[in-house]
Amino acid sequence: MTRFFETHREMLDKALAAARERGYWSPYPEAPSGKIYGETAKDDGEAAFTARLGNSFALAGHPTNGKMVGKETSPSACPWKSPTPPPTSIN
């Protein structure tokens, strides 16, 4: 196991620093590079994202009775495509 840590020391140190600072870190590229993921990766990703807007996010194999519970929406969701309208006031 020691060799693993020695081999990946720089990556592990960056991950630990991000956790300590509560920041973002990933060893993978953030943008869908055409060289890595194929020339249509960006368009494919945007199409998949857009197709999911305004719909519930069903997980295969996740138990459900078919009813949605709660009305929360993600704070990072696009509000104009949200399945439930945003509140008009906060009480």
Side-chain angles (χ1 to χ4, degrees), residues 12-23:
L12 293 168
D13 287 342
K14 288 178 181 178
L16 287 171
R20 198 172 28 252
E21 298 163 10
R22 298 181 58 91

Side-chain angles (χ1 to χ4, degrees), residues 49 53 57 71-84 86:
F49 172 77
L53 290 176
F57 187 75
K71 295 186 185 230
E72 67 274 356
T73 59
S74 169
S76 59
C78 300
W80 63 91
K81 298 274 187 157
S82 178
T84 56

Side-chain angles (χ1 to χ4, degrees), residues 18-86:
R20 198 172 28 252
E21 298 163 10
R22 298 181 58 91
Y24 171 81
W25 180 83
S26 174
Y28 305 105
E30 223 174 313
S33 167
K35 292 180 182 178
I36 297 171
Y37 301 107
E39 293 303 318
T40 62
K42 182 177 182 294
D43 293 333
D44 293 345
E46 286 180 6
F49 172 77
T50 301
R52 286 173 176 80
L53 290 176
N55 298 306
S56 60
F57 187 75
L59 298 173
H62 188 75
T64 179
N65 63 3
K67 296 179 182 178
M68 297 296 294
V69 178
K71 295 186 185 230
E72 67 274 356
T73 59
S74 169
S76 59
C78 300
W80 63 91
K81 298 274 187 157
S82 178
T84 56

